[in-house]
Amino acid sequence: SFFAFTPAVMSSTALLLNILVAGVGLVSFVRAGHFSLRMALPFILLSIPAAFVGGLATIPDRFYFLFLAIVLLFTSYRLGFDSTSSDQRGLKHLSRLWAIVLGGGIGVVSGVIGVGGGIFLSPLLILMNVASTKQTAALSALFILVNSIAGLAGRAARGVIETGDLFPLAVVAFVGGLVGSYAGANKFSSVLLRRLLAVVLLIAAVKLIIQFAAS
């Protein structure tokens, strides 16, 4: 969005890069022992068909972008200024039903706007205190992977997949995914991961505000 790619190219390319990077990240966090399939399954159960349906949908963008930017700004603030990790507080239990509903809702949104959904799921899991920071990263990697595939399938069904010159982006995204996921799974502290996530959310919010102003 910063470099004036068309929405069709931007969303399709983002989903393809999500599949690549989230796949790399998932492998790193599984190898480091942070992944729980039992925890992940309820979140992805409804999210996959929901992301496919979202990928079929077309909605007005402008005020949705503004609302989403406000949510992301608030979440970024909460994550960035809370130095106590969920690992230190003790985790709460989230029922399977609520996990399924939450995953389905995020799946629809991710399919509509062309993202994997991890940018919504990660802060929610951390702020709700139902998973440690590294468990959240592992679960979100799987969530992004499966929902990006489903969202891309929905776009394919509409015939709107456009990627432009994807190869250079794929190469640098793959290298960045290798470095980042290794550091996140094995080197970085939970508090540092929370603050990095806050920065990512802030960048996303600024991007959405720019899209709102330009629309």
Side-chain angles (χ1 to χ4, degrees), residues 15 43-57 103-117 143-155 158:
L15 288 172
F43 288 98
I44 66 173
L45 185 64
L46 188 58
S47 70
I48 298 172
F52 178 82
V53 171
L56 293 172
I106 295 174
V108 171
V109 174
S110 67
V112 168
I113 65 175
V115 297
F143 192 86
I144 292 167
L145 178 63
V146 297
N147 286 300
S148 294
I149 293 171
L152 199 62
R155 278 172 157 64
R158 285 199 290 131

Side-chain angles (χ1 to χ4, degrees), residues 28-59:
S28 293
F29 279 93
V30 168
R31 285 181 173 177
H34 301 301
F35 178 72
S36 168
L37 183 61
R38 183 178 180 182
M39 179 184 292
L41 279 177
F43 288 98
I44 66 173
L45 185 64
L46 188 58
S47 70
I48 298 172
F52 178 82
V53 171
L56 293 172
T58 302
I59 62 168

Side-chain angles (χ1 to χ4, degrees), residues 113-138:
I113 65 175
V115 297
I119 200 167
F120 309 120
L121 182 64
S122 297
L124 279 174
L125 291 178
I126 293 173
L127 293 177
M128 291 167 63
N129 198 33
V130 297
S132 72
T133 306
K134 295 192 178 186
Q135 286 175 333
T136 296

Side-chain angles (χ1 to χ4, degrees), residues 132-194:
S132 72
T133 306
K134 295 192 178 186
Q135 286 175 333
T136 296
L139 195 160
S140 294
L142 177 63
F143 192 86
I144 292 167
L145 178 63
V146 297
N147 286 300
S148 294
I149 293 171
L152 199 62
R155 278 172 157 64
R158 285 199 290 131
V160 294
I161 293 182
E162 298 180 34
T163 59
D165 189 6
L166 181 63
F167 182 73
L169 294 175
V171 171
V172 295
F174 179 74
V175 174
L178 283 175
V179 174
S181 60
Y182 174 78
N186 301 284
K187 301 295 183 182
F188 293 165
S189 70
S190 295
V191 171
L192 178 57
L193 285 177
R194 287 165 63 92

Side-chain angles (χ1 to χ4, degrees), residues 49-68:
F52 178 82
V53 171
L56 293 172
T58 302
I59 62 168
D61 295 333
R62 195 165 190 266
F63 292 103
Y64 176 76
F65 284 152
L66 181 62
F67 170 75
L68 187 57

Side-chain angles (χ1 to χ4, degrees), residues 9 16 115 153 169 204 206:
V9 170
L16 286 166
V115 297
L169 294 175
V206 170

